[in-house]
Amino acid sequence: MIVIEPVLEVFAPPDFTLWPVTKGEPFSHRYLALGGQLSSTEVGTAVMRIAECNDIDPDPHSGDDRPPRPADPLGSFSSTDCSPSSASSRPAA
């Protein structure tokens, strides 16, 4: 039987301190299988890696219309609009 799992290629994070991530020899370079059995530090490692993959400057010359990086990356996590007016405009599930 063939089993297919989604994976992320992960590297040892040298100086990442925003949240707990897995460090040490097993994470020097490997693939992390994503699933329900991940530890909390493995989830942190996956989120860090996804954020790292998205950490690129937009290139308007190639049709990239993303907004520029925020000056305060940590502050950008709390800058989403969660106002009641935006929530009430969604249709009921």
Side-chain angles (χ1 to χ4, degrees):
M1 174 171 68
I2 297 174
V3 177
I4 299 174
E5 295 180 302
V7 297
L8 282 176
E9 186 175 12
V10 294
F11 308 93
D15 57 355
F16 188 82
T17 59
L18 292 177
W19 55 78
V21 295
T22 302
K23 295 183 181 182
E25 192 58 36
F27 275 87
S28 60
H29 181 114
R30 73 175 192 128
Y31 293 96
L32 175 64
L34 304 178
Q37 293 79 26
L38 292 176
S39 69
S40 60
T41 56
E42 288 173 327
V43 171
T45 302
V47 172
M48 179 224 32
R49 183 65 178 127
I50 292 168
E52 184 180 60
C53 286
N54 289 317
D55 185 26
I56 56 173
D57 286 318
D59 182 10
H61 301 293
S62 66
D64 189 353
D65 61 350
R66 289 177 296 137
R69 287 190 213 195
D72 177 18
L74 186 56
S76 69
F77 281 114
S78 61
S79 67
T80 57
D81 181 14
C82 296
S83 63
S85 61
S86 63
S88 64
S89 63
R90 285 187 243 151

